[in-house]
Amino acid sequence: MGGTLQATLLYLVLYLVLLHICRCSNIAVSQDEEWKTATATYSKETDGSIITEGACGYGDLHKISYGKHSAGLSGILFNKGSTCGACYELRCVDHILWCLLGSPSVTLTATDFCPPNYGLSKDYGGWCNFPKEHFEMSEAAFAEIAKRKADIVPVQYKRVKCERSGGLRFMMSGSSHFYQVLITNVGSDGEILAVKVKGSRTGWIPMARNWGQNWQSNVNLKGQPLSFEVTISSGRTLTSYNVAPANWQFGQTFEGKQF
């Protein structure tokens, strides 16, 4: 009996040791494979940054603090708009002529879609053709990793946590029978998976993605203080209670909690 117990304990210890070794190996592999390869170009704007509305619906990117550190993503990365708000770290690599010395990196927020151009080769103008992984940056952000004279550069990228100042921002829009909220300044994952809204006279109502980070509901919520429940891609959920007062109006923006 005693020998059987000792053998069982020995097997258990060996199992735990092997499990720990496997976990460490997996972590090491994931760290080695963290950076992925892509290409990058830049869009020429008068002030060196991207200020156009874009496919995520953010409007003036300076007003919502994304500004020059914004990027349009090719279709495979944009994922029909679900990636809007996500943050990426980029660095120029493998091009001694165009990459800045030391391969400095820059962190960007996904704010737009880079459309394909199947009339051109993926290597000569069709940089956003499926399944290419490509970033169209602002000129100012591009200049932080590569020389402006470059047309297109090879880059490495990885998803990173978004560092935001202040809380989530909720901008109201719509009409008496159509309610929509644009959610910006999302920290952590940056990428929103689901949204619910609650008025003082309702339960929690799931909202549908309209486009980009605009979320909609057909319920009339006027005249009620509003609370929001936001779930990001990692599965974390944050609830901001009574963000908007009962007398809120379309066009107003309110600030909630932060991840």
Side-chain angles (χ1 to χ4, degrees):
M1 185 71 177
T4 303
L5 179 60
Q6 288 179 343
T8 302
L9 290 173
L10 179 61
Y11 282 124
L12 180 59
V13 170
L14 288 172
Y15 171 78
L16 292 174
V17 170
L18 289 173
L19 182 63
H20 177 71
I21 293 172
C22 288
R23 283 179 175 173
C24 290
S25 298
N26 288 335
I27 291 172
V29 170
S30 65
Q31 288 176 343
D32 290 341
E33 298 176 349
E34 202 172 33
W35 290 94
K36 299 179 181 179
T37 59
T39 52
T41 51
Y42 67 87
S43 174
K44 292 185 178 180
E45 298 285 346
T46 55
D47 65 350
S49 62
I50 298 174
I51 58 173
T52 53
E53 184 166 319
C56 292
Y58 289 134
D60 189 327
L61 298 177
H62 291 293
K63 290 183 179 179
I64 61 169
S65 74
Y66 296 159
K68 70 176 184 179
H69 292 107
S70 308
L73 276 56
S74 60
I76 196 168
L77 293 172
F78 190 69
N79 195 23
K80 298 180 179 179
S82 67
T83 319
C84 288
C87 293
Y88 294 85
E89 184 179 0
L90 267 71
R91 62 187 183 190
C92 181
V93 295
D94 301 330
H95 205 302
I96 192 171
L97 184 61
W98 300 131
C99 295
L100 296 187
L101 188 64
S103 292
S105 66
V106 63
T107 299
L108 307 171
T109 298
T111 60
D112 200 2
F113 171 59
C114 180
N117 185 346
Y118 293 113
L120 298 174
S121 164
K122 64 180 182 179
D123 298 318
Y124 297 97
W127 298 308
C128 291
N129 294 350
F130 187 85
K132 288 277 290 183
E133 296 183 356
H134 184 81
F135 294 83
E136 184 178 25
M137 306 168 62
S138 71
E139 182 177 358
F142 185 87
E144 294 184 26
I145 64 169
K147 297 177 182 178
R148 281 186 169 89
K149 292 182 179 180
D151 190 16
I152 180 172
V153 295
V155 297
Q156 290 180 333
Y157 76 93
K158 61 181 178 179
R159 280 285 297 271
V160 294
K161 296 296 183 183
C162 298
E163 300 292 336
R164 305 297 187 204
S165 176
L168 274 62
R169 295 174 191 149
F170 303 88
M171 181 177 178
M172 316 298 185
S173 63
S175 65
S176 59
H177 299 290
F178 176 78
Y179 169 79
Q180 183 171 277
V181 60
L182 169 65
I183 306 175
T184 63
N185 204 49
V186 182
S188 189
D189 301 347
E191 180 182 356
I192 299 175
L193 188 65
V195 179
K196 292 181 181 179
V197 62
K198 182 184 183 303
S200 57
R201 299 189 296 272
T202 73
W204 285 103
I205 303 167
M207 304 188 77
R209 188 192 300 273
N210 186 311
W211 62 291
Q213 288 301 0
N214 286 281
W215 297 79
Q216 70 177 56
S217 170
N218 293 327
V219 177
N220 186 354
L221 297 167
K222 289 290 287 183
Q224 304 177 58
L226 302 180
S227 303
F228 292 94
E229 181 184 281
V230 177
T231 301
I232 52 178
S233 56
S234 62
R236 293 177 58 197
T237 297
L238 179 69
T239 304
S240 297
Y241 291 100
N242 299 319
V243 170
N247 62 346
W248 63 267
Q249 300 293 322
F250 293 124
Q252 290 182 316
T253 300
F254 301 97
E255 187 169 323
K257 295 180 180 179
Q258 184 59 268
F259 284 96

